[in-house]
């Protein structure tokens, strides 16, 4: 029996601890991933963050919206330990990767909300489940491209947030070289381009737009609703959308994209009815 050829997916995502899991799971479903790191990061204001971390008694908890935020906290501690008082507070994270990184690098700091998948859902989750005092602020390490979605949701519901900008996001200076290599080596087999973040969308779009390479020759996959909105704002035609940033959700929409499109139609109809 002849095996089916693998369907190539370019994934605009930095390689991390989850990369191997992504590769194994996608291969098992007849997909061949090519990972292209789209963004580069640089830490900033770590002295300020360190001072805040030494005073858990001044906060209601901490919120991590990306693995980079956890890494910033680890860097700020300079191989020291996170004060134990944080474990007694209300701590949250977006996504399993961020949750697991906090556990492994910050003395088993447990965070709630890993199932939420994006800032909007996390905001709803915090508002619905928070049972502490709102007199103290939540500490929010964030990047320079952070949106106001989470801040606005919390402020509307009586929360105070101490946002500390701890890293800058830029386009990976090697993005063009990596993309060119992938497009040459696997040009005939590439079927999907999968985008993991709005900022990554902007970097990749700039590359293709500058070179006048049409994106409609591939099926464009959005990971999460904010990424989809960023793609649509640039006129990119989204083939399907994974609800959450996990390999299971990615495989699900690759195997059954129609379900993703039907879900979007239902969501749009429900929003229209609510208005």
């Amino acid at each position: 029996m002849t095996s089916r050829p693998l369907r190539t997916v370019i994934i605009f995502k930095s390689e991390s601890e989850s990369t191997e899991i992504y590769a194994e799971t996608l291969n098992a479903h007849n997909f061949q991933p090519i990972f292209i790191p789209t963004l580069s990061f640089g830490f900033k204001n770590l002295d300020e963050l360190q001072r805040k971390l030494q005073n858990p008694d001044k906060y209601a908890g901490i919120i991590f919206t990306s693995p980079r935020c956890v890494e910033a906290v680890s860097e700020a501690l300079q191989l020291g330990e996170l004060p134990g008082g944080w474990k007694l507070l209300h701590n949250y994270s977006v996504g399993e990767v961020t949750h697991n990184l906090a556990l492994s690098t910050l003395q088993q700091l447990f965070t709630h909300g890993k199932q939420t998948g994006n800032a909007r859902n996390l905001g709803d989750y915090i508002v619905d489940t928070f049972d502490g005092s709102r007199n103290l602020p939540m500490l929010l390490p964030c990047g320079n491209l952070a949106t106001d979605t989470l801040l606005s949701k919390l402020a509307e519901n009586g929360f105070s947030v101490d946002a500390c900008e701890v890293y800058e996001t830029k386009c990976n200076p090697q993005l063009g070289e990596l993309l060119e290599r992938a497009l040459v080596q696997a040009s005939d087999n590439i079927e999907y381009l999968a985008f993991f973040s709005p900022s990554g969308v902007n970097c990749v779009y700039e590359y293709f737009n500058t070179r006048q390479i049409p994106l409609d020759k591939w099926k464009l996959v959005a990971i999460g609703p904010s990424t989809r909105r960023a793609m649509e704002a640039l006129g990119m035609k989204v083939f399907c959308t994974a609800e959450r940033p996990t390999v299971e959700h990615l495989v699900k929409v690759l195997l059954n994209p129609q379900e993703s499109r039907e879900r979007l139609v239902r969501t749009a109809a429900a929003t229209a009815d609510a208005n």
Side-chain angles (χ1 to χ4, degrees):
M1 180 177 177
T2 304
S3 60
R4 292 180 297 166
L6 295 178
R7 304 160 71 184
T8 301
V9 187
I10 289 184
I11 299 179
F12 295 109
K13 176 183 183 298
S14 61
E15 296 198 25
S16 64
E17 293 180 3
S18 63
T19 300
E20 186 175 338
I21 298 174
Y22 269 81
E24 291 177 355
T25 307
L26 286 163
N27 286 160
H29 290 86
N30 218 49
F31 296 102
Q32 177 62 53
I34 298 175
F35 294 94
I36 297 184
T38 313
L39 306 171
S40 64
F41 304 90
F43 294 120
K44 59 190 292 190
N45 301 326
L46 294 187
D47 289 343
E48 178 185 351
L49 176 61
Q50 183 184 45
R51 288 193 295 271
K52 296 175 186 293
L53 293 170
Q54 298 307 318
N55 295 282
D57 55 307
K58 294 183 178 180
Y59 293 94
I62 190 168
I63 302 173
F64 298 114
T65 55
S66 73
R68 209 68 54 189
C69 299
V70 179
E71 292 171 2
V73 168
S74 182
E75 286 286 326
L77 293 170
Q78 298 178 347
L79 302 180
E81 291 192 355
L82 183 72
W86 287 102
K87 291 186 178 181
L88 305 176
L89 304 181
H90 298 76
N91 306 310
Y92 301 91
S93 63
V94 172
E96 292 189 13
V97 173
T98 304
H99 169 85
N100 292 338
L101 190 61
L103 277 176
S104 63
T105 63
L106 300 178
Q107 292 77 55
Q108 295 294 304
L109 182 70
F110 185 85
T111 57
H112 299 274
K114 66 178 182 178
Q115 75 283 2
T116 55
N118 61 63
R120 179 169 299 182
N121 290 343
L122 180 62
D124 291 337
Y125 177 83
I126 293 173
V127 170
D128 292 341
T129 63
F130 185 85
D131 59 0
S133 170
R134 302 189 185 186
N135 294 328
L136 294 175
M138 301 293 295
L139 179 58
L140 177 66
C142 59
N144 61 312
L145 300 182
T147 65
D148 293 333
T149 302
L150 179 58
L151 283 171
S152 299
K153 181 68 177 182
L154 295 178
E156 290 168 2
N157 288 274
F159 288 88
S160 173
V161 179
D162 182 5
C164 183
E165 191 173 296
V166 295
Y167 69 89
E168 287 187 327
T169 304
K170 301 177 181 178
C171 296
N172 181 359
Q174 296 181 309
L175 175 60
E177 177 185 340
L178 295 171
L179 251 175
E180 288 171 13
R181 186 185 308 160
L183 293 176
V184 169
Q185 292 178 349
S187 59
D188 294 335
N189 298 320
I190 299 171
E191 186 172 350
Y192 303 93
L193 305 183
F195 298 83
F196 264 75
S197 70
S199 47
V201 168
N202 293 330
C203 293
V204 174
Y205 178 82
E206 181 179 346
Y207 170 86
F208 283 105
N209 191 50
T210 300
R211 290 158 181 78
Q212 297 184 327
I213 301 174
L215 282 162
D216 56 10
K217 63 173 68 175
W218 301 289
K219 297 171 183 175
L220 309 183
V221 182
I223 311 300
S226 60
T227 302
R228 184 191 73 245
R229 288 190 291 270
M231 294 168 69
E232 291 174 341
L234 291 171
M236 299 166 67
K237 184 177 180 181
V238 179
F239 179 69
C240 58
T241 303
E243 289 182 86
R244 296 176 184 167
T246 70
V247 67
E248 291 80 12
H249 284 86
L250 176 57
V251 168
K252 181 179 178 181
V253 296
L254 291 177
L255 293 175
N256 190 1
Q258 183 60 32
E259 180 182 338
S260 162
R261 292 192 285 270
E262 290 174 352
R263 185 179 66 250
L264 287 177
V265 170
R266 291 195 299 270
T267 301
T271 301
D273 290 343
N275 294 332

